Amino acid sequence: MSSAPRLILGNMAVDGGNLILTREDRDHLLKDLGLPRDGVRRLIGSLEFIKGIERYCLWISDSYRDQFEEVPDVAARIRRTKVVRERSPDAGFRRLAARPHQFREMNAPDNTLIIPRVTSEHREWLQVGYLLSGSVVADSAFQILDAPLYLLPILSSRLHREWIATVCGKLKTDLRYSNTLGWNTFPMPTLTEDEKERLEQCANDILDARDLYPLKTIAELYDPEKMPAEETGEIHIGMPDFKEPTTPRTKQITNEDMPHLMAEVLQDRRLLEAGLNDSTANEVITQVLIPEIIEKRYGDLSEEQTDEVVQNLVARVYAAREIREAERAGGGSIFTETVRAAFDVSKLQVDLIKDVNPFEQGYEILARTLDKQVFGTILAELTNKEPPMTDKEARSLWERVKSWIIDHDGQEPNPSSVDALERRLGKALMFLRKQYAEKQKEDA
């Protein structure tokens, strides 16, 4: 594939481990000492990407090398790296001793595709990631610099996996990826702009599916024992870690009652307000609000059964989006027809509006059915509302709060911010602190 973007090895440290940092090291340099953020980056190799291991590295440009070397620990790390390189039997590594504050390569573009060099033979798809600026790919993985998004589903496809299994070598029984044997020889026709567009949509779907499970690693999402084994019902859910119904009760709900459950979800006012409010994180909808609707509707489900129904509902909405796109030319939509069969949108009153999908796709129903001015009034009214913080929402947002603080150099989200999401995260933090203080008072 001479016209395809180059797939190259990640950045090699050649440092004896001295340029590698823990999160605590990173926080000390950036938060406590106020060093430039660009000088410390997230380091992602094969294990870090697949298993979610968190590591960082020094990524020091010549322009602020002196500033970093004023820190004794950093200066010592750089000196030790120089010694490691000077003592190397490799002439190329010895030459790197002239710039001991840097990796051998310094490739960190605005976006990168990462492909692990080794992956388990038991996984049905290759695990490919799309990294934005701020991350550094280590040499335990391959990367495509400034990669077009449409390449992600090609590299992730079963076809490409079979190609790699056929033409590349193995490490024990695991697949070993090779850029020269695997990528450079992969037969792919010249793509049209329309084909690239459709592949980009597939890429977004893959990333969206992963985002449904923010607490799970890539290894957990691609565990073959948790993937759907076969088609169930009229829609096949090809989603990692998808939970098929395991009991007669959940099978009955997903096979027979799903249209009615969808209708109830679409008519829930709290979900409508949450979906239209920029401060609502996706996990609040999928992990708090929808489970509450299901628990209230059925009452006899365990937590595991509720989770199965939630995943079926959310996955079917995602699948329906693709069906609608495919059928748009023909003027039909399974999802839209299901909703219209459940209730009559045209008869709703503005002050009683409850019938919108918590996911973005469903808003098309209202946009097409209601007068534009009326729909605008609904949006203006609902986006100005913020529901009271609950224990479930606060706990579901805790990981997002911690990430916010890390990403903003220790600054906490402001509960009075004009930014809706920051404001909501700030209120979640206040809620949890108040809970903790009350518990401490009770225990005293």
Side-chain angles (χ1 to χ4, degrees), residues 266-282:
L266 290 168
Q267 295 178 63
D268 186 83
R269 188 180 187 88
R270 287 182 64 202
L271 272 176
L272 172 62
E273 294 175 352
L276 294 178
N277 197 313
D278 290 339
S279 70
T280 305
N282 288 340

Side-chain angles (χ1 to χ4, degrees), residues 181-225:
L181 293 176
W183 176 242
N184 293 347
T185 63
F186 183 58
M188 186 172 71
T190 301
L191 300 172
T192 66
E193 290 305 312
D194 180 62
E195 289 169 335
K196 291 178 182 178
E197 234 176 80
R198 282 185 285 158
L199 285 168
E200 284 184 3
Q201 182 59 61
C202 290
N204 283 316
D205 289 344
I206 292 170
L207 298 175
D208 285 346
R210 292 176 185 174
D211 286 344
L212 288 175
Y213 309 94
L215 302 182
K216 291 188 178 295
T217 65
I218 292 294
E220 292 170 321
L221 290 176
Y222 283 78
D223 185 338
E225 294 184 0

Side-chain angles (χ1 to χ4, degrees), residues 5 26 56 59 71 118-119 208 227 232 236 370 395:
R26 170 198 181 275
Y56 297 86
W59 194 255
V71 179
V118 178
T119 188
D208 285 346
M227 285 187 177
T232 57
H236 173 63
L370 299 179
R395 291 179 183 279

Side-chain angles (χ1 to χ4, degrees), residues 69-355:
E69 287 192 319
E70 289 176 1
V71 179
D73 176 61
V74 175
R77 288 173 177 270
I78 292 174
R79 286 196 301 271
R80 291 196 296 268
T81 299
K82 184 175 183 178
V83 171
V84 168
R85 294 176 179 180
E86 288 174 337
R87 294 177 178 176
S88 173
D90 186 290
F93 291 167
R94 291 198 299 272
R95 285 193 294 271
L96 288 175
R99 51 181 184 92
H101 58 297
Q102 295 181 329
F103 280 49
R104 184 180 72 175
E105 298 84 13
M106 293 292 286
N107 294 319
D110 289 339
N111 62 74
T112 310
L113 279 180
I114 177 173
I115 305 97
R117 291 173 66 179
V118 178
T119 188
S120 170
E121 66 168 343
H122 299 298
R123 298 186 181 119
E124 296 182 36
W125 293 277
L126 294 177
Q127 299 79 59
V128 182
Y130 190 73
L131 309 178
L132 299 178
S133 60
S135 297
V136 172
V137 176
D139 64 328
S140 59
F142 287 107
Q143 60 180 338
I144 298 178
L145 307 176
D146 293 314
L149 187 56
Y150 69 79
L151 289 179
L152 189 146
I154 295 174
L155 285 159
S156 303
S157 67
R158 285 186 178 176
L159 175 63
H160 189 58
R161 183 204 180 281
E162 292 307 311
W163 180 262
I164 296 304
T166 302
V167 304
C168 296
K170 290 189 175 183
L171 182 63
K172 297 181 180 178
T173 59
D174 291 338
L175 303 181
R176 172 179 278 176
Y177 200 99
S178 166
N179 57 343
T180 53
L181 293 176
W183 176 242
N184 293 347
T185 63
F186 183 58
M188 186 172 71
T190 301
L191 300 172
T192 66
E193 290 305 312
D194 180 62
E195 289 169 335
K196 291 178 182 178
E197 234 176 80
R198 282 185 285 158
L199 285 168
E200 284 184 3
Q201 182 59 61
C202 290
N204 283 316
D205 289 344
I206 292 170
L207 298 175
D208 285 346
R210 292 176 185 174
D211 286 344
L212 288 175
Y213 309 94
L215 302 182
K216 291 188 178 295
T217 65
I218 292 294
E220 292 170 321
L221 290 176
Y222 283 78
D223 185 338
E225 294 184 0
K226 297 180 181 179
M227 285 187 177
E230 58 186 5
E231 211 169 298
T232 57
E234 75 283 2
I235 297 177
H236 173 63
I237 310 298
M239 185 181 293
D241 202 41
F242 182 76
K243 294 185 178 180
E244 294 288 353
T246 57
T247 67
R249 180 66 171 131
T250 53
K251 288 178 182 178
Q252 182 268 326
I253 292 171
T254 56
N255 292 335
E256 301 174 19
D257 201 42
M258 189 57 70
H260 303 290
L261 176 59
M262 274 188 173
E264 184 166 339
V265 168
L266 290 168
Q267 295 178 63
D268 186 83
R269 188 180 187 88
R270 287 182 64 202
L271 272 176
L272 172 62
E273 294 175 352
L276 294 178
N277 197 313
D278 290 339
S279 70
T280 305
N282 288 340
E283 52 262 46
V284 173
I285 292 176
T286 57
Q287 297 176 25
V288 179
L289 298 180
I290 292 179
E292 286 180 355
I293 294 172
I294 291 171
E295 289 165 2
K296 183 178 179 182
R297 178 176 176 85
Y298 301 109
D300 59 343
L301 301 182
S302 67
E303 184 176 344
E304 181 70 19
Q305 290 173 323
T306 299
D307 195 34
E308 290 175 5
V309 177
V310 169
Q311 289 197 25
N312 268 271
L313 173 65
V314 174
R316 284 166 187 252
V317 172
Y318 269 81
R321 178 180 65 185
E322 298 311 306
I323 293 170
R324 183 170 61 252
E325 289 298 324
E327 297 185 345
R328 190 178 295 276
S333 165
I334 291 175
F335 183 58
T336 303
E337 294 307 316
T338 299
V339 172
R340 290 188 183 279
F343 55 86
D344 185 357
V345 180
S346 63
K347 294 180 181 178
L348 294 171
Q349 301 298 316
V350 176
D351 58 341
L352 297 176
I353 197 71
K354 300 177 181 179
D355 51 10

